[in-house]
Amino acid sequence: MNVELLQYNPDCEKIVAAAAKLCYSSSEIDGILNGLDREKTISFIDRLMSLGHESPIEHIIFTFGIEGVSRSLLAQITRHRIASYSVKSQRYVNEGQFEYIIPKEIEADEKAKAIFVKAMEDDEKTYNELTAILQEKHYKAFLADGMDEKKAKTQAEKKAIEDARYVLPNACETKMIATFNARSLINFFHHRCCERAQWEIRDLACEMLRLVKEVCPTIFRVTGPRCVSGPCPEGKMSCGKMQEKRKIFLES
């Protein structure tokens, strides 16, 4: 897995403090940033977070480049709908030699890993066979319709992999660019930094949190699973590690 923070708002915490300042004072827009030194910026943000007034942090956004993750993770992260995603398309990109993600528990067991790797190799072989059969069929049909050879070949491959991709596994590697505003990102961390989240998306969320803490330490200071700043919401399904998790996320 590789995660990079590609872009974020310059002076992101100052923007949030300015928005908060506007909410709680009669400041004019022309001078809204005046006087917002580091101390006052932190003060405004601390007040916002303590009041649960989170709408001002929607003004700042973070764009991540993510690769080396599975299509299984993709299905989970896109459930966080207040975000924007651009993902490598299996419809336009030939996956004839696809990379794949091996779950940690399978990686750690020699017998399980051997079975898993064989399944991936079989999937790749099946994908390539289907692609070849369908591509030849479509190529002939396009030529019969009067399409020139070069275009027919390109269009035949595209049409073939549209259907061949149905045999690709959840383990198939993908990459994406994802953009969140800070409020949506905190919600993402609440759910996906939790011990009950699946290991892969939890690893991703924790790395994303580490990156944003470097550029916005005040906003994300008390962020992570919900138990970091309050009671665990999981009830009987709690991992029972609340104190341990608070130590990890508050000191990181």
Side-chain angles (χ1 to χ4, degrees), residues 57-249:
I57 69 174
E58 294 178 14
H59 292 293
I60 59 173
I61 62 170
F62 302 84
T63 298
F64 301 88
I66 303 167
E67 61 185 356
V69 296
S70 70
R71 299 288 294 195
S72 178
L73 181 145
L74 175 64
Q76 296 176 67
I77 195 171
T78 50
R79 292 174 188 166
H80 296 270
R81 292 180 291 277
I82 306 177
S84 300
Y85 305 95
S86 296
V87 182
K88 183 181 75 171
S89 173
Q90 290 182 336
R91 189 180 175 200
Y92 293 98
V93 179
N94 191 311
E95 296 279 17
Q97 291 182 310
F98 66 85
E99 299 292 332
Y100 50 86
I101 310 304
I102 304 179
K104 295 176 181 179
E105 293 296 326
I106 293 177
E107 180 78 52
D109 187 294
E110 186 176 337
K111 184 176 180 181
K113 182 179 178 181
I115 293 171
F116 186 90
V117 170
K118 184 178 185 306
M120 296 301 103
E121 291 172 348
D122 289 346
D123 280 344
E124 182 179 304
K125 181 181 178 182
T126 302
Y127 174 86
N128 288 331
E129 288 176 349
L130 286 172
T131 298
I133 292 168
L134 294 173
Q135 188 170 351
E136 180 66 19
K137 172 186 173 182
H138 297 317
Y139 178 67
K140 289 179 179 178
F142 286 140
L143 288 178
D145 287 341
M147 190 178 291
D148 67 77
E149 290 186 8
K150 184 178 180 181
K151 186 174 182 180
K153 184 177 181 181
T154 300
Q155 292 299 311
E157 180 186 31
K158 175 184 175 296
K159 194 171 178 62
I161 65 177
E162 282 184 342
D163 290 333
R165 63 179 169 156
Y166 278 73
V167 301
L168 293 172
N170 277 335
C172 191
E173 185 270 348
T174 193
K175 49 183 67 72
M176 72 190 81
I177 289 178
T179 300
F180 293 74
N181 71 54
R183 189 180 193 181
S184 180
L185 198 52
I186 287 175
N187 177 265
F188 173 72
F189 294 145
H190 282 165
H191 290 280
R192 302 303 183 171
C193 289
C194 176
E195 188 71 16
R196 294 198 62 239
Q198 189 179 18
W199 65 271
E200 187 182 17
I201 198 166
R202 185 172 64 247
D203 288 353
L204 172 63
C206 289
E207 178 61 12
M208 289 167 65
L209 177 55
R210 185 189 69 79
L211 291 171
V212 296
K213 274 188 172 183
E214 291 181 355
V215 297
C216 280
T218 309
I219 289 174
F220 296 104
R221 183 173 59 221
V222 188
T223 303
R226 289 190 181 275
C227 63
V228 168
S229 57
C232 174
E234 297 295 331
K236 292 181 179 180
M237 303 185 84
S238 172
C239 70
K241 302 176 182 178
M242 186 170 70
Q243 295 306 319
E244 177 186 333
K245 295 302 175 182
R246 285 183 176 180
K247 185 174 181 179
I248 291 171
F249 284 95

